[in-house]
Amino acid sequence: MDLTGLKTNVVGAGIGGLTGALALARHGADVTILEQASEITEVGAGLQVSPNGVTVLRALGLESQLKQISMRAEAVELHDFAVGKLVARLDLGLSPVDTFYYFVHRADLIDLLANAVRQCGIKIRLLQHVDCILPGDFPVAHMANGAKSTAQFLLGADGLHSKARSALNGAVSPFFTRQVAWRATVPNIFGHKSVARVHMGPHRHVVTYPLREGELVNIVAVQERAQWAEEGWNIQDDPDNLRKIFADFGGDVRRLLKQVETVNRWGLFRHPVAPLWHKDNVAILGDAAHPTLPFMAQGAVMAMEDAWVLAASLIRAPNLTSGLAAYQKQREVRVKRVVNIASKNARKYHLSVEPMRTLAHLGLRAGSILLPRQMIGQFDWIYRHDVTTE
């Protein structure tokens, strides 16, 4: 299918929407991004870009810029919560091929993608609060202020509460996973190395890694609990609440949490993978199609993979409908597997019953020493997958 001049609206200027806009525009589509915010921005938080995400940015000509704004990850370290004792270290350099993992501030990656979008001539319309989407021969985005925008193709990259997903699948109620997370960034006062540290405690864990040339440390803390918490990325909480919940964590965690001045909290909800990803010239990607819990650090990367596969599927197909069908078929099995393993992964960090906890830690230590390649390679199916060569 020739995408030249295909009038396309992309709803949402997050990582998935910006990557999708770039992937379509590079094949000639006439793309406009509809973003509800007054500017393209992101609150302070870090993310990890694993090799399968790097391949997409490389194919879009953005890898060198990614390196400039990121820190290359050297290892994953698993620590016991009480005094910070190292349980196991998984060296990310053990891969038999050149695969790179990066720590990047989410705002910096958004800026990189937004600049590339502007340089590509993609139009960005801000303050476009989409109220509903009507699929059809020429799908329409109806705005809350009564305005509307019509295109030949509409791509919904509008996240957890996607209007595009609702238009295709109707409303579905997610369920609370009984897990709550907090995120914050603090100054790197003690030289946190370029590793991701997982501090494992009973019913809780804390992940830390450095950002922006080591100036900051990103903190993600997770607690299992029955008390419901609101879903949403930017709900502020009192830092003292965070410190109280993780007060028995020692080592570096205690020092880091003392520095927290602003923290955001969100309840973790499980959303089903959408049954329909496309219909009547409307499609969805990323969290709009398959919201992913953060325990494999794959949410943003899966959206980037989606964006590439969507564009590649369209250019190989005779028409839009068959191209979108090929896109869902190619992506659905993989993302369901990633979503499922991310949902299960937190349990490994939250063991509380002895002697199971001690035995599990001994197993991790032995595996990292005796079978390091096998330990780091168990997720090669995620990290070494390259959608740009499929």
Side-chain angles (χ1 to χ4, degrees), residues 124-135:
I124 303 173
R125 294 174 58 190
L126 301 173
L127 295 172
Q128 303 299 302
H129 190 93
V130 176
D131 185 56
C132 68
I133 289 168
L134 183 63

Side-chain angles (χ1 to χ4, degrees), residues 288-309:
H290 46 81
T292 307
L293 294 177
F295 304 128
M296 289 299 295
Q298 285 296 295
V301 174
M302 286 296 107
M304 290 191 284
E305 284 191 2
D306 285 350
W308 181 273
V309 173

